[in-house]
mmCIF file of all heavy atoms in Angstrom:
data_model
loop_
_atom_site.group_PDB
_atom_site.id
_atom_site.type_symbol
_atom_site.label_atom_id
_atom_site.label_comp_id
_atom_site.label_asym_id
_atom_site.label_seq_id
_atom_site.Cartn_x
_atom_site.Cartn_y
_atom_site.Cartn_z
ATOM 1 N N ASP A 897 -150.801 3.695 -42.929
ATOM 2 C CA ASP A 897 -152.057 4.238 -43.424
ATOM 3 C C ASP A 897 -152.833 3.110 -44.133
ATOM 4 O O ASP A 897 -152.695 2.918 -45.338
ATOM 5 C CB ASP A 897 -151.806 5.398 -44.370
ATOM 6 C CG ASP A 897 -153.058 6.193 -44.760
ATOM 7 O OD1 ASP A 897 -154.167 5.623 -44.564
ATOM 8 O OD2 ASP A 897 -152.934 7.299 -45.253
ATOM 9 N N VAL A 898 -153.629 2.394 -43.335
ATOM 10 C CA VAL A 898 -154.358 1.246 -43.890
ATOM 11 C C VAL A 898 -155.356 1.669 -44.925
ATOM 12 O O VAL A 898 -155.557 1.002 -45.939
ATOM 13 C CB VAL A 898 -155.013 0.468 -42.712
ATOM 14 C CG1 VAL A 898 -155.996 -0.552 -43.227
ATOM 15 C CG2 VAL A 898 -153.949 -0.196 -41.853
ATOM 16 N N GLU A 899 -156.001 2.821 -44.694
ATOM 17 C CA GLU A 899 -157.018 3.259 -45.677
ATOM 18 C C GLU A 899 -156.387 3.539 -47.032
ATOM 19 O O GLU A 899 -156.980 3.277 -48.062
ATOM 20 C CB GLU A 899 -157.733 4.514 -45.151
ATOM 21 C CG GLU A 899 -158.605 4.248 -43.902
ATOM 22 C CD GLU A 899 -159.607 3.109 -44.094
ATOM 23 O OE1 GLU A 899 -160.375 3.136 -45.112
ATOM 24 O OE2 GLU A 899 -159.657 2.233 -43.239
ATOM 25 N N LEU A 900 -155.151 4.069 -47.042
ATOM 26 C CA LEU A 900 -154.451 4.286 -48.295
ATOM 27 C C LEU A 900 -154.138 2.946 -49.000
ATOM 28 O O LEU A 900 -154.267 2.822 -50.207
ATOM 29 C CB LEU A 900 -153.180 5.081 -48.121
ATOM 30 C CG LEU A 900 -152.374 5.425 -49.361
ATOM 31 C CD1 LEU A 900 -153.201 6.181 -50.376
ATOM 32 C CD2 LEU A 900 -151.104 6.179 -48.987
ATOM 33 N N LEU A 901 -153.719 1.943 -48.222
ATOM 34 C CA LEU A 901 -153.442 0.623 -48.809
ATOM 35 C C LEU A 901 -154.734 0.028 -49.396
ATOM 36 O O LEU A 901 -154.707 -0.573 -50.464
ATOM 37 C CB LEU A 901 -152.874 -0.300 -47.743
ATOM 38 C CG LEU A 901 -151.472 0.076 -47.182
ATOM 39 C CD1 LEU A 901 -151.076 -0.853 -46.086
ATOM 40 C CD2 LEU A 901 -150.447 0.072 -48.282
ATOM 41 N N ILE A 902 -155.864 0.206 -48.683
ATOM 42 C CA ILE A 902 -157.113 -0.268 -49.192
ATOM 43 C C ILE A 902 -157.496 0.472 -50.470
ATOM 44 O O ILE A 902 -157.974 -0.147 -51.443
ATOM 45 C CB ILE A 902 -158.227 -0.161 -48.085
ATOM 46 C CG1 ILE A 902 -157.897 -1.105 -46.926
ATOM 47 C CG2 ILE A 902 -159.600 -0.476 -48.670
ATOM 48 C CD1 ILE A 902 -158.771 -0.873 -45.681
ATOM 49 N N ASP A 903 -157.314 1.794 -50.497
ATOM 50 C CA ASP A 903 -157.589 2.577 -51.683
ATOM 51 C C ASP A 903 -156.760 2.033 -52.865
ATOM 52 O O ASP A 903 -157.276 1.945 -53.995
ATOM 53 C CB ASP A 903 -157.228 4.038 -51.485
ATOM 54 C CG ASP A 903 -158.235 4.837 -50.652
ATOM 55 O OD1 ASP A 903 -159.347 4.344 -50.409
ATOM 56 O OD2 ASP A 903 -157.869 5.916 -50.208
ATOM 57 N N GLN A 904 -155.527 1.717 -52.604
ATOM 58 C CA GLN A 904 -154.695 1.177 -53.699
ATOM 59 C C GLN A 904 -155.195 -0.142 -54.212
ATOM 60 O O GLN A 904 -155.239 -0.382 -55.420
ATOM 61 C CB GLN A 904 -153.222 1.085 -53.197
ATOM 62 C CG GLN A 904 -152.589 2.441 -52.994
ATOM 63 C CD GLN A 904 -151.241 2.349 -52.348
ATOM 64 O OE1 GLN A 904 -150.788 1.279 -51.947
ATOM 65 N NE2 GLN A 904 -150.574 3.450 -52.175
ATOM 66 N N ALA A 905 -155.586 -1.022 -53.312
ATOM 67 C CA ALA A 905 -156.083 -2.334 -53.733
ATOM 68 C C ALA A 905 -157.341 -2.198 -54.631
ATOM 69 O O ALA A 905 -157.409 -2.752 -55.700
ATOM 70 C CB ALA A 905 -156.424 -3.204 -52.499
ATOM 71 N N PHE A 906 -158.297 -1.433 -54.143
ATOM 72 C CA PHE A 906 -159.538 -1.267 -54.906
ATOM 73 C C PHE A 906 -159.388 -0.301 -56.062
ATOM 74 O O PHE A 906 -160.151 -0.381 -57.036
ATOM 75 C CB PHE A 906 -160.727 -0.930 -53.977
ATOM 76 C CG PHE A 906 -161.109 -2.110 -53.144
ATOM 77 C CD1 PHE A 906 -160.903 -2.134 -51.798
ATOM 78 C CD2 PHE A 906 -161.720 -3.219 -53.742
ATOM 79 C CE1 PHE A 906 -161.266 -3.195 -51.023
ATOM 80 C CE2 PHE A 906 -162.085 -4.290 -52.993
ATOM 81 C CZ PHE A 906 -161.877 -4.307 -51.620
ATOM 82 N N GLY A 907 -158.434 0.606 -55.942
ATOM 83 C CA GLY A 907 -158.179 1.537 -57.030
ATOM 84 C C GLY A 907 -157.748 0.762 -58.290
ATOM 85 O O GLY A 907 -158.203 1.105 -59.422
ATOM 86 N N VAL A 908 -156.921 -0.230 -58.125
ATOM 87 C CA VAL A 908 -156.509 -1.075 -59.288
ATOM 88 C C VAL A 908 -157.741 -1.723 -59.883
ATOM 89 O O VAL A 908 -157.960 -1.734 -61.118
ATOM 90 C CB VAL A 908 -155.452 -2.105 -58.859
ATOM 91 C CG1 VAL A 908 -155.223 -3.130 -59.982
ATOM 92 C CG2 VAL A 908 -154.134 -1.419 -58.506
ATOM 93 N N LEU A 909 -158.593 -2.310 -59.077
ATOM 94 C CA LEU A 909 -159.784 -2.960 -59.581
ATOM 95 C C LEU A 909 -160.681 -1.994 -60.359
ATOM 96 O O LEU A 909 -161.016 -2.290 -61.513
ATOM 97 C CB LEU A 909 -160.585 -3.570 -58.397
ATOM 98 C CG LEU A 909 -161.805 -4.380 -58.778
ATOM 99 C CD1 LEU A 909 -161.963 -5.574 -57.885
ATOM 100 C CD2 LEU A 909 -163.052 -3.534 -58.671
ATOM 101 N N TRP A 910 -161.047 -0.906 -59.771
ATOM 102 C CA TRP A 910 -161.965 0.020 -60.422
ATOM 103 C C TRP A 910 -161.338 0.678 -61.656
ATOM 104 O O TRP A 910 -162.038 0.906 -62.640
ATOM 105 C CB TRP A 910 -162.492 1.058 -59.448
ATOM 106 C CG TRP A 910 -163.463 0.503 -58.429
ATOM 107 C CD1 TRP A 910 -163.242 0.268 -57.113
ATOM 108 C CD2 TRP A 910 -164.768 0.030 -58.697
ATOM 109 N NE1 TRP A 910 -164.332 -0.312 -56.522
ATOM 110 C CE2 TRP A 910 -165.292 -0.477 -57.491
ATOM 111 C CE3 TRP A 910 -165.570 -0.040 -59.845
ATOM 112 C CZ2 TRP A 910 -166.572 -1.005 -57.414
ATOM 113 C CZ3 TRP A 910 -166.848 -0.568 -59.763
ATOM 114 C CH2 TRP A 910 -167.354 -1.045 -58.511
ATOM 115 N N TYR A 911 -160.080 0.987 -61.563
ATOM 116 C CA TYR A 911 -159.397 1.609 -62.741
ATOM 117 C C TYR A 911 -159.364 0.621 -63.918
ATOM 118 O O TYR A 911 -159.664 1.011 -65.064
ATOM 119 C CB TYR A 911 -157.969 2.032 -62.375
ATOM 120 C CG TYR A 911 -157.256 2.742 -63.469
ATOM 121 C CD1 TYR A 911 -157.563 4.053 -63.757
ATOM 122 C CD2 TYR A 911 -156.283 2.111 -64.230
ATOM 123 C CE1 TYR A 911 -156.894 4.728 -64.801
ATOM 124 C CE2 TYR A 911 -155.628 2.727 -65.250
ATOM 125 C CZ TYR A 911 -155.934 4.066 -65.560
ATOM 126 O OH TYR A 911 -155.315 4.687 -66.566
ATOM 127 N N ARG A 912 -159.079 -0.625 -63.640
ATOM 128 C CA ARG A 912 -159.038 -1.609 -64.738
ATOM 129 C C ARG A 912 -160.452 -1.899 -65.283
ATOM 130 O O ARG A 912 -160.587 -2.087 -66.449
ATOM 131 C CB ARG A 912 -158.379 -2.900 -64.278
ATOM 132 C CG ARG A 912 -156.882 -2.686 -64.138
ATOM 133 C CD ARG A 912 -156.145 -4.020 -64.199
ATOM 134 N NE ARG A 912 -154.739 -3.740 -64.420
ATOM 135 C CZ ARG A 912 -153.936 -4.462 -65.169
ATOM 136 N NH1 ARG A 912 -154.437 -5.510 -65.831
ATOM 137 N NH2 ARG A 912 -152.685 -4.159 -65.271
ATOM 138 N N LEU A 913 -161.460 -1.897 -64.385
ATOM 139 C CA LEU A 913 -162.825 -2.102 -64.849
ATOM 140 C C LEU A 913 -163.361 -0.922 -65.629
ATOM 141 O O LEU A 913 -163.917 -1.075 -66.732
ATOM 142 C CB LEU A 913 -163.756 -2.361 -63.680
ATOM 143 C CG LEU A 913 -163.839 -3.705 -63.060
ATOM 144 C CD1 LEU A 913 -164.754 -3.692 -61.859
ATOM 145 C CD2 LEU A 913 -164.303 -4.760 -64.080
ATOM 146 N N GLY A 914 -163.146 0.281 -65.096
ATOM 147 C CA GLY A 914 -163.828 1.450 -65.629
ATOM 148 C C GLY A 914 -163.064 2.280 -66.632
ATOM 149 O O GLY A 914 -163.648 2.966 -67.442
ATOM 150 N N VAL A 915 -161.729 2.196 -66.642
ATOM 151 C CA VAL A 915 -160.957 3.079 -67.501
ATOM 152 C C VAL A 915 -160.154 2.268 -68.558
ATOM 153 O O VAL A 915 -160.346 2.422 -69.750
ATOM 154 C CB VAL A 915 -159.996 3.986 -66.678
ATOM 155 C CG1 VAL A 915 -159.153 4.836 -67.620
ATOM 156 C CG2 VAL A 915 -160.770 4.838 -65.708
ATOM 157 N N ARG A 916 -159.279 1.417 -68.075
ATOM 158 C CA ARG A 916 -158.429 0.643 -68.997
ATOM 159 C C ARG A 916 -159.118 -0.530 -69.664
ATOM 160 O O ARG A 916 -158.712 -0.973 -70.698
ATOM 161 C CB ARG A 916 -157.200 0.127 -68.251
ATOM 162 C CG ARG A 916 -156.141 1.192 -68.003
ATOM 163 C CD ARG A 916 -154.815 0.601 -67.653
ATOM 164 N NE ARG A 916 -154.271 -0.290 -68.636
ATOM 165 C CZ ARG A 916 -153.396 -1.231 -68.384
ATOM 166 N NH1 ARG A 916 -153.004 -1.471 -67.195
ATOM 167 N NH2 ARG A 916 -152.947 -2.016 -69.386
ATOM 168 N N ARG A 917 -160.156 -1.012 -69.026
ATOM 169 C CA ARG A 917 -160.827 -2.221 -69.545
ATOM 170 C C ARG A 917 -159.864 -3.366 -69.697
ATOM 171 O O ARG A 917 -159.835 -4.117 -70.653
ATOM 172 C CB ARG A 917 -161.577 -1.986 -70.849
ATOM 173 C CG ARG A 917 -162.507 -0.812 -70.829
ATOM 174 C CD ARG A 917 -163.790 -1.138 -70.139
ATOM 175 N NE ARG A 917 -164.678 0.026 -70.226
ATOM 176 C CZ ARG A 917 -165.873 0.042 -69.735
ATOM 177 N NH1 ARG A 917 -166.306 -0.994 -69.055
ATOM 178 N NH2 ARG A 917 -166.608 1.108 -69.820
ATOM 179 N N ALA A 918 -158.934 -3.422 -68.721
ATOM 180 C CA ALA A 918 -157.866 -4.429 -68.708
ATOM 181 C C ALA A 918 -158.224 -5.595 -67.785
ATOM 182 O O ALA A 918 -159.023 -5.427 -66.852
ATOM 183 C CB ALA A 918 -156.550 -3.788 -68.251
ATOM 184 N N PRO A 919 -157.722 -6.768 -68.059
ATOM 185 C CA PRO A 919 -158.095 -7.940 -67.262
ATOM 186 C C PRO A 919 -157.595 -7.858 -65.824
ATOM 187 O O PRO A 919 -156.577 -7.271 -65.537
ATOM 188 C CB PRO A 919 -157.427 -9.127 -68.017
ATOM 189 C CG PRO A 919 -156.424 -8.512 -68.924
ATOM 190 C CD PRO A 919 -156.793 -7.080 -69.144
ATOM 191 N N LEU A 920 -158.369 -8.482 -64.954
ATOM 192 C CA LEU A 920 -158.021 -8.581 -63.546
ATOM 193 C C LEU A 920 -157.587 -10.021 -63.311
ATOM 194 O O LEU A 920 -158.373 -10.882 -62.963
ATOM 195 C CB LEU A 920 -159.246 -8.226 -62.688
ATOM 196 C CG LEU A 920 -159.700 -6.783 -62.739
ATOM 197 C CD1 LEU A 920 -161.092 -6.635 -62.193
ATOM 198 C CD2 LEU A 920 -158.732 -5.919 -61.943
ATOM 199 N N THR A 921 -156.327 -10.285 -63.540
ATOM 200 C CA THR A 921 -155.787 -11.669 -63.527
ATOM 201 C C THR A 921 -155.341 -12.091 -62.128
ATOM 202 O O THR A 921 -155.044 -11.244 -61.251
ATOM 203 C CB THR A 921 -154.629 -11.800 -64.473
ATOM 204 O OG1 THR A 921 -153.549 -10.913 -64.059
ATOM 205 C CG2 THR A 921 -155.056 -11.390 -65.907
ATOM 206 N N ALA A 922 -155.131 -13.367 -61.970
ATOM 207 C CA ALA A 922 -154.558 -13.897 -60.742
ATOM 208 C C ALA A 922 -153.129 -13.408 -60.538
ATOM 209 O O ALA A 922 -152.689 -13.138 -59.416
ATOM 210 C CB ALA A 922 -154.575 -15.417 -60.750
ATOM 211 N N GLU A 923 -152.396 -13.273 -61.682
ATOM 212 C CA GLU A 923 -151.032 -12.780 -61.576
ATOM 213 C C GLU A 923 -151.012 -11.341 -61.128
ATOM 214 O O GLU A 923 -150.137 -10.958 -60.287
ATOM 215 C CB GLU A 923 -150.366 -12.872 -62.973
ATOM 216 C CG GLU A 923 -150.134 -14.303 -63.460
ATOM 217 C CD GLU A 923 -151.394 -14.955 -64.003
ATOM 218 O OE1 GLU A 923 -152.336 -14.253 -64.378
ATOM 219 O OE2 GLU A 923 -151.455 -16.214 -63.994
#
Side-chain angles (χ1 to χ4, degrees):
D897 190 343
V898 169
E899 294 305 310
L900 181 59
L901 295 175
I902 294 170
D903 285 346
Q904 291 171 356
F906 288 110
V908 169
L909 182 142
W910 288 109
Y911 184 76
R912 286 203 167 217
L913 278 177
V915 178
R916 282 195 61 205
R917 308 283 183 181
L920 293 163
T921 64
E923 294 77 23

